[in-house]
Amino acid sequence: MPATSKKMIILEKVDSTNNYAMALVQKAEAISGQGVFAMEQTAGRGRRGKTWKSQGGENVILTINNQMHWLRVQQQFQLSVAVALGCFDLLSEYIKENIKIKWPNDIFVNDRKAGGILIENVIKGNLWQWAVIGIGLNINQENFDRGIKAISLKQVTGINYDVVELAHELIQTVTSRISQLESGKFTSLLSQYNENLFCRNKVVKLKKDNIVFETQIKKISSTGELITKDVVERRFRFDEVQWQGV
């Protein structure tokens, strides 16, 4: 049986914390703000069908269920901003520099991937009922698959961490940012998001329709579009472009 509290369910092993959390929503057993944490995840996934691999017991593998009746379906990106800042806040408690938010859903430290976010939604008609917020953060893992530019908190600080305790802290930082969003502070949140945007004002390579091009990252719009500039200003939606070489 999982260890269960109002704030977090702790599982030894699960296919996906998002699957487990979504099942709670579908059975009307979900508690808004409650996390589902797993020591080991056998079928973790990221955006665009990618898999999320994590060594058992080494990292934070967490999903937070949150009721979303107060935000319109068209405002889904606003939640992404709040969640990314919640992840940023947690890491900022332990390291003080080189933490960046990589559009649209990654957390980078020292130009390497330290975590990722996958938000799945329950929408009925025009009503956004629940967000199932999946977060993976590399904490104590030191060996990653070849070819993956990843980094963990331990690799930066040299310290081994209690991943369950960090999961509790992450629930607090993420739900705090969501509360700020609910209280109408999105403009401030977006400003902080852009202040910490990965590669802001740098020229990067992106790929669209099998064409690779160089452009300068400027900011993210209030609707979640990536705004860049080269000979002209460009705007890109989620999944319209892919990063190259990062």
Side-chain angles (χ1 to χ4, degrees):
M1 292 290 291
T4 302
S5 71
K6 187 175 181 180
K7 285 295 182 184
M8 191 164 77
I9 298 169
I10 301 175
L11 306 170
E12 284 299 319
K13 189 174 184 178
V14 72
D15 60 344
S16 160
T17 56
N18 267 33
N19 287 350
Y20 191 100
M22 183 65 78
L24 293 176
V25 171
Q26 293 171 344
K27 293 185 291 186
E29 296 176 1
I31 299 172
S32 190
Q34 184 184 57
V36 176
F37 170 85
M39 296 299 292
E40 184 178 356
Q41 183 173 247
T42 59
R45 61 186 186 278
R47 294 181 70 251
R48 302 175 66 230
K50 293 182 179 179
T51 58
W52 177 270
K53 294 183 179 180
S54 175
Q55 290 181 356
E58 297 294 315
N59 303 310
V60 167
I61 304 168
L62 178 71
T63 298
I64 303 169
N65 280 331
N66 211 88
Q67 285 185 310
M68 298 303 303
H69 303 287
W70 46 273
L71 206 60
R72 298 197 306 271
V73 172
Q74 296 83 357
Q75 297 173 308
Q76 291 180 40
F77 174 67
Q78 295 189 15
L79 179 63
S80 297
V81 169
V83 173
L85 287 172
C87 295
F88 179 93
D89 292 342
L90 176 73
L91 292 176
S92 295
E93 293 176 12
Y94 299 95
I95 48 181
K96 299 304 180 185
E97 57 186 20
N98 295 323
I99 308 169
K100 298 295 179 183
I101 299 169
K102 178 173 171 282
W103 179 88
N105 68 317
D106 290 331
I107 306 298
F108 268 46
V109 174
N110 294 340
D111 294 330
R112 291 178 174 270
K113 184 172 179 176
I117 300 163
L118 175 66
I119 301 176
E120 298 177 301
N121 300 301
V122 176
I123 297 169
K124 297 289 179 67
N126 292 321
L127 182 63
W128 186 3
Q129 294 190 330
W130 287 88
V132 178
I133 305 163
I135 303 168
L137 291 180
N138 299 328
I139 303 300
N140 295 320
Q141 186 169 336
E142 295 186 272
N143 297 306
F144 297 93
D145 289 348
R146 183 174 295 181
I148 296 177
K149 294 181 179 179
I151 195 169
S152 69
L153 186 57
K154 182 178 180 179
Q155 287 178 315
V156 178
T157 67
I159 299 170
N160 202 69
Y161 297 90
D162 183 330
V163 291
V164 175
E165 179 59 34
L166 287 189
H168 278 291
E169 292 180 22
L170 183 58
I171 292 172
Q172 292 175 352
T173 57
V174 169
T175 55
S176 175
R177 288 295 193 170
I178 293 174
S179 294
Q180 291 177 23
L181 177 61
E182 189 172 5
S183 64
K185 296 180 180 177
F186 175 64
T187 299
S188 174
L189 294 174
L190 181 61
S191 176
Q192 293 172 63
Y193 183 101
N194 276 314
E195 286 171 8
N196 296 289
L197 185 64
F198 179 70
C199 284
R200 187 178 188 185
N201 294 324
K202 293 183 179 180
V203 175
V204 302
K205 289 183 178 180
L206 300 177
K207 182 179 180 181
K208 180 183 179 183
D209 299 330
N210 293 319
I211 297 174
V212 176
F213 59 96
E214 291 189 341
T215 189
Q216 185 183 45
I217 302 294
K218 300 306 292 182
K219 64 179 181 178
I220 308 302
S221 75
S222 61
T223 55
E225 292 176 307
L226 173 65
I227 300 175
T228 73
K229 188 173 183 180
D230 37 80
V231 292
V232 295
E233 182 178 280
R234 304 176 188 271
R235 289 174 175 252
F236 302 105
R237 299 183 303 275
F238 289 169
D239 297 332
E240 193 174 359
V241 290
Q242 292 83 47
W243 294 82
Q244 300 294 294
V246 295

